[in-house]
Structures are given as structure tokens and as C-alpha cells.
């Protein structure tokens, strides 16, 4: 008898990209058995009519220990989130790891160390329009190495937020990540919306350092007519043997805070952005379409509120996500209840609904592989991304006919409305979602990365 038996479902074999009618038995925090006959268990879940998949791995999040976005992620089937993205991670990673280990968390967390915070900040390179000097760069490198010793899974960049950062600075840190065999997710710098140089310069960094690079929320960086050319550049770089992957959410309309360089007035002018392309995502003006007066008021008095910027076409999302080197990601962040961007609650169900059920751009096996096995390999999560005996008991049970996102933009609906069609989500052998209801469990662990995993091929 196993602890939890999940019977009568269709199991997605992510290694072979095949589906099989199998019954899954979990023993504590591990997958124990896959059986042709129904299993006896202390708990029995009937997964008839549903797919049983490894838990989804969200490679681009900003949850970083916050409970509410973790709840919204769990309800989407995400069992592991990667935090510390866009150059922004907790100041003391060791302290973060220890606190999370003591408290437990609804889902597993892998963490990157951020180039902007804590590294730039700690060495006094606080002016985002100025480059760091050689001494500061050397100190950042040694701090990044220390963070990777502590278990950071790589170094993240938010170059859009530090327009003054020189490429030598990026290269030095990418080189450190390469030496540790870790990954570099990069939110590229965008001086103007029509600019592909931002992509060229990071591809160059991958070439110089040999680092494994993940270009963050690709469609947010290169939508509005640039996606095809941008993807072509990645194709060519990969053709030369560079290890470059991309991630993308299911939306083209991105969100960030008032006090970033992105929303400096000068940047808005250079890009010819219109006020009506912006909607307030958080705070007392949530849902308000921007106008000039409100913008300058909020930039001054509400710097920590977020804005959503509307651009691009949905087809551009599909163009990105059909690439075999693309993985889905949410870019979820820490927002209060009823606030934010629909990506925080809708990304993964929307991915399944759009990419598989409605547009038929990916098979269910391929879609699940890209949300599980591929990101697990990218981030060195050896016991995740695949349902086999001995693997971690992180699973999601979903109905392909019913899975549907319900979240919407703040001027149109509820950004944090939970999806339907995902009845069970299991983290470390415990149901964090049961009968579609969130359970507020704390079985998620921090994942400290050790050693160089790129010896292996995938
Ligand atoms: Zn970002």
C-alpha cells in the first residue's frame, strides 16, 4: 500500500514524450511505482479523464518567499518556482535559504542571485545610469561566487533597469556563472523598442563566456513586430553551438514599477509610448488607464506601484513558445489580493488552453515536457520534471477539456482569479491543491544547487 495512489489517469511520460494509462503510487516524498493495475493507497485519488503530469516548473518568477503569489502559482500546477530574477534577489541569500527551510513554503523555490540587488547595491554601484568600476566588478564577482557556493542556481540580470551598466560587468558575472556551471537568465536592456542590439550584446556574452543563458520573458522584450527577427538571431546563435534558451509567458502586455528606468519619462518619449497603452496594476488607482497628469503624480508619489503596458499580438507569444528551446514562464510577482497582472494566476492554464486545446500548436506531451522536463534540466533539478520511481513526488492532475484561466487585466476583471480544471497539485507528496481547493500546506523546500551539472548533456 502506498501513501497516495493516483489511479485511472493518463500519465505524461516527459522523457519519451508519450502518454500512457498508468496508476501512480507515491511513498512519502517520492514517486514509488507506476502500475498497469490500480493501486491501493492510504489516500486514493481518482484521476479519470485527467492527465497526471510532473509538477510545472516556473523558470521566471519573483515570488521570493511571498505566500500569496505562491498560492496563485500552486493553483496553476506550479510546484517549483525560480526566484531572484531580473537582477533582483534577496539581499542575504543564505539567510533567505535558512528562513525558508525553517518555515517551509507552499512550493519549492530555486534562487538566482541578482546583479542589481544585492550585487550592485552592495558594492556601491547604485547609480543605474553609471557603469561599475573594475574594483566594484571584482567584488561583485566574488559575492556572486559566494552566493553560488550557498546554492544560488545562477546569476540573473535586469539590464533594462540599469541602462548604464557596461557589458564588461555582465561578462565578468556571466563568466563566474559559467565557471560554476550555472545559468544566466537575462532580462535584456531595451533602449528603444525597435532595438535588437540588446539581444546581440547578450548573445555575444554567451559566446565569450560559454555560459548557459536563458533570455527572460522573450515576448515582453521583442514583441510588436520584432519577434521573428529576434528568434532568428537566437536560432543562428544556437546553430553556432551556443547554449541559449528563452522563456515566455502567455501575454504580450508586460508590467513593471513606476520607479524603474523603463518608466522614466525620457524612455517613454524615445519609444513614442502613448498614455492609453498603460493601466495601473496596483494600489489605489488600480485599473485606471493612464493620462499625463496621473503619470507624473504617481511617478513622484507612488513609485512602488506597478503599471501594465499594452502592446504586441498574441501570435507573437505562440511564435516564441513553439520553439523547441522555449519554456513557459509567468513573471509572477508579489502583489496584494485583487491586484497585479493576470499572469500571476493564469499563465500555465492559459498555456495549456491556448497552445494545446485551442490553437493546437503543441501536443499535450510536448507542452508538458516544456513546462517540466526541459526546465528541470536547465536548472539542474535532477529529481524533478519526470514521473519515475525515485523522482520527487511533485505532480499536477489536470483536465485538458476543462483547464482554463480566469484572471484578467485590472480594468477588465480580477488579475488573481484562480483557474479551473486543475483538481490536484502535489508538492513533496502532499496535496497543496485538493479538489481544486488551495490547502495552505508548507511542504515546499528551498533547492540549493551544488556542483557543476553541465557535464551531462540533455
Ligand atoms: Zn524581467
Amino acid at each position: 500500500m502506498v501513501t497516495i495512489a493516483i489511479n485511472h489517469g493518463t500519465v505524461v511520460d516527459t522523457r519519451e514524450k508519450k502518454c500512457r494509462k498508468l496508476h501512480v503510487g507515491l511513498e512519502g516524498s517520492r514517486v514509488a511505482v507506476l502500475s498497469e493495475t490500480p493501486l491501493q493507497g492510504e489516500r486514493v485519488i481518482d484521476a479519470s479523464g485527467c492527465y497526471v503530469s510532473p509538477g510545472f516548473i516556473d523558470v521566471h518568477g519573483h515570488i521570493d518567499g511571498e505566500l500569496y503569489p505562491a498560492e496563485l502559482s500552486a493553483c496553476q500546477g506550479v510546484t517549483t518556482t525560480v526566484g531572484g530574477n531580473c537582477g533582483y534577489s534577496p539581499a542575504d541569500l543564505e539567510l533567505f535559504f535558512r528562513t525558508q527551510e525553517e518555515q517551509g513554503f507552499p512550493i519549492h523555490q530555486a534562487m538566482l542571485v541578482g546583479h542589481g540587488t544585492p550585487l550592485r547595491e552592495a558594492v556601491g554601484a547604485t547609480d543605474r545610469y553609471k557603469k561599475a568600476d573594475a574594483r566594484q566588478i571584482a567584488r561583485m564577482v566574488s559575492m556572486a561566487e559566494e552566493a553560488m557556493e550557498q546554492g544560488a542556481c545562477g546569476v540573473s540580470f535586469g539590464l533594462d533597469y540599469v541602462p548604464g551598466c557596461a557589458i564588461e560587468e555582465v561578462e565578468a558575472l556571466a563568466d563566474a556563472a559559467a565557471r560554476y556551471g550555472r545559468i544566466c537568465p537575462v532580462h535584456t536592456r531595451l533602449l528603444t523598442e525597435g532595438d535588437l542590439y540588446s539581444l546581440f550584446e547578450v548573445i555575444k556574452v554567451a559566446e565569450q563566456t560559454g555560459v548557459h543563458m536563458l533570455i527572460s520573458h522573450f515576448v515582453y522584450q521583442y514583441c510588436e513586430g520584432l519577434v521573428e527577427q529576434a528568434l532568428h538571431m537566437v536560432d543562428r546563435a544556437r546553430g553556432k553551438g551556443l547554449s541559449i534558451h528563452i522563456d515566455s509567458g502567455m501575454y504580450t502586455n508586460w508590467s513593471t514599477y513606476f520607479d524603474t528606468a523603463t518608466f522614466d519619462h525620457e524612455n517613454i518619449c524615445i519609444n513614442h509610448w502613448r498614455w492609453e497603452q498603460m493601466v495601473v496594476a496596483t494600489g489605489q488607482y488600480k485599473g485606471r488607464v493612464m493620462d499625463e497628469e496621473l503619470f507624473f503624480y504617481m511617478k513622484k508619489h507612488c513609485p512602488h506601484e506597478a503599471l501594465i503596458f499594452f502592446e504586441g499580438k498574441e501570435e507573437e507569444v505562440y511564435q516564441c513558445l513553439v520553439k523547441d528551446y522555449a519554456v513557459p514562464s509567468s513573471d509572477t510577482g508579489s502583489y496584494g489580493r485583487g491586484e497585479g497582472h493576470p499572469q500571476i494566476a493564469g499563465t500555465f492554464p492559459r498555456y495549456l488552453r491556448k497552445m494545446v486545446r485551442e490553437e493546437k500548436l503543441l501536443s499535450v506531451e510536448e507542452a508538458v515536457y516544456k513546462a517540466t522536463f526541459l526546465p528541470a534540466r536547465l536548472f539542474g533539478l535532477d529529481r524533478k520534471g519526470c514521473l519515475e520511481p525515485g523522482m520527487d513526488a511533485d505532480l499536477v492532475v489536470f483536465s485538458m477539456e476543462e483547464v482554463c484561466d480566469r484572471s484578467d487585466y485590472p480594468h477588465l476583471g480580477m488579475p488573481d482569479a484562480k483557474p479551473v480544471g486543475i483538481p490536484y497539485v502535489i508538492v513533496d507528496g502532499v496535496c497543496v491543491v485538493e479538489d481544486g481547493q488551495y490547502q495552505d500546506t508548507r511542504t515546499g523546500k528551498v533547492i540549493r544547487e551544488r556542483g557543476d551539472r553541465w557535464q551531462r548533456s540533455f
Side-chain angles (χ1 to χ4, degrees):
M1 177 131 74
V2 294
T3 329
I4 299 181
I6 305 161
N7 288 334
H8 307 294
T10 302
V11 173
V12 188
D13 175 345
T14 48
R15 207 183 282 280
E16 301 291 330
K17 295 188 196 165
K18 273 197 263 180
C19 282
R20 293 194 289 164
K21 290 267 179 203
L22 284 173
H23 312 275
V24 183
L26 310 180
E27 194 66 74
S29 59
R30 292 275 191 275
V31 176
V33 58
L34 283 93
S35 157
E36 306 257 328
T37 52
L39 293 159
Q40 304 271 318
E42 286 165 32
R43 248 329 283 282
V44 177
I45 291 171
D46 180 7
S48 303
C50 286
Y51 284 95
V52 180
S53 145
F56 302 145
I57 297 168
D58 186 359
V59 298
H60 191 99
H62 298 273
I63 293 181
D64 304 355
E66 292 281 334
L67 285 171
Y68 190 52
E71 171 178 339
L72 296 177
S73 290
C75 292
Q76 294 179 56
V78 172
T79 56
T80 301
T81 183
V82 178
N85 269 294
C86 300
Y88 188 85
S89 68
D92 184 340
L93 215 48
E94 180 57 35
L95 178 66
F96 175 84
F97 281 142
R98 265 189 282 127
T99 313
Q100 296 296 313
E101 273 158 5
E102 276 160 28
Q103 295 172 352
F105 200 61
I107 57 177
H108 304 302
Q109 299 182 87
M111 293 299 291
L112 298 151
V113 60
H115 161 241
T117 310
L119 300 181
R120 256 185 157 247
E121 219 150 81
V123 303
T126 46
D127 186 337
R128 60 197 184 193
Y129 299 102
K130 279 198 188 137
K131 60 182 185 182
D133 63 31
R135 196 182 47 87
Q136 288 171 325
I137 293 175
R139 277 192 59 209
M140 283 195 275
V141 167
S142 78
M143 286 181 68
E145 287 171 347
E146 191 188 336
M148 287 188 280
E149 295 284 345
Q150 290 161 350
C153 57
V155 183
S156 80
F157 294 91
L159 299 181
D160 203 14
Y161 305 135
V162 276
C165 159
I167 205 68
E168 293 76 46
E169 197 173 325
V170 183
E171 229 171 69
L173 287 163
D175 187 59
R179 277 186 276 109
Y180 276 75
R182 312 279 166 94
I183 199 164
C184 271
V186 186
H187 168 160
T188 52
R189 113 170 87 203
L190 290 178
L191 300 177
T192 72
E193 287 262 299
D195 166 30
L196 282 170
Y197 181 76
S198 61
L199 183 57
F200 174 79
E201 68 172 1
V202 298
I203 290 174
K204 205 88 192 133
V205 169
E207 195 170 352
Q208 301 283 343
T209 61
V211 77
H212 301 278
M213 190 172 274
L214 178 65
I215 301 173
S216 302
H217 36 63
F218 199 81
V219 81
Y220 287 164
Q221 305 307 101
Y222 301 108
C223 66
E224 202 70 55
L226 277 184
V227 149
E228 217 173 296
Q229 289 168 68
L231 287 170
H232 189 59
M233 284 172 72
V234 177
D235 288 338
R236 266 199 321 222
R238 286 175 56 86
K240 285 200 281 181
L242 304 187
S243 173
I244 299 178
H245 288 76
I246 66 171
D247 67 75
S248 171
M250 289 304 298
Y251 310 82
T252 55
N253 310 316
W254 46 267
S255 169
T256 193
Y257 298 95
F258 272 93
D259 65 348
T260 57
T262 315
F263 283 124
D264 277 356
H265 188 231
E266 196 190 350
N267 197 43
I268 292 173
C269 294
I270 291 171
N271 284 295
H272 307 291
W273 289 343
R274 287 171 288 112
W275 300 119
E276 55 286 9
Q277 283 178 279
M278 306 171 204
V279 169
V280 182
T282 60
Q284 88 181 99
Y285 301 103
K286 182 194 78 169
R288 278 270 298 270
V289 178
M290 193 52 63
D291 57 53
E292 189 166 348
E293 192 186 343
L294 183 63
F295 179 82
F296 285 109
Y297 176 82
M298 290 193 74
K299 183 91 184 160
K300 186 162 179 215
H301 299 285
C302 319
H304 303 304
E305 302 299 354
L307 269 176
I308 299 170
F309 188 86
F310 287 77
E311 66 173 344
K313 289 197 280 299
E314 193 151 277
E315 289 67 33
E316 294 176 306
V317 167
Y318 308 152
Q319 277 177 289
C320 289
L321 280 170
V322 294
K323 289 286 183 185
D324 60 2
Y325 52 80
V327 295
S329 68
S330 72
D331 200 13
T332 185
S334 172
Y335 300 113
R337 285 176 195 271
E339 297 189 330
H341 184 296
Q343 67 196 8
I344 61 178
T347 298
F348 284 82
R350 190 177 178 88
Y351 170 70
L352 294 170
R353 171 167 79 86
K354 292 272 184 176
M355 299 300 291
V356 182
R357 188 172 72 218
E358 292 178 5
E359 304 294 331
K360 300 188 176 26
L361 295 163
L362 296 173
S363 65
V364 67
E365 295 87 349
E366 187 69 27
V368 168
Y369 162 83
K370 287 156 82 73
T372 58
F373 193 84
L374 181 54
R377 298 293 87 84
L378 283 175
F379 282 84
L381 310 172
D382 291 337
R383 287 209 309 267
K384 300 193 189 296
C386 171
L387 294 183
E388 285 166 5
M391 300 296 271
D392 288 348
D394 300 331
L395 293 89
V396 50
V397 176
F398 64 90
S399 157
M400 200 59 240
E401 287 86 63
E402 286 168 30
V403 67
C404 192
D405 48 303
R406 292 282 180 88
S407 57
D408 210 339
Y409 294 100
H411 59 313
L412 302 172
M414 290 302 283
D416 58 347
K418 289 175 178 170
V420 293
I422 306 178
Y424 293 93
V425 182
I426 296 175
V427 173
D428 217 42
V430 174
C431 290
V432 65
V433 174
E434 191 165 347
D435 284 325
Q437 297 301 309
Y438 180 67
Q439 300 299 310
D440 202 18
T441 51
R442 296 281 192 277
T443 50
K445 295 178 172 147
V446 292
I447 301 166
R448 291 184 191 245
E449 180 142 357
R450 301 286 181 210
D452 182 346
R453 64 199 141 75
W454 293 98
Q455 316 290 343
R456 276 162 286 128
S457 58
F458 61 90

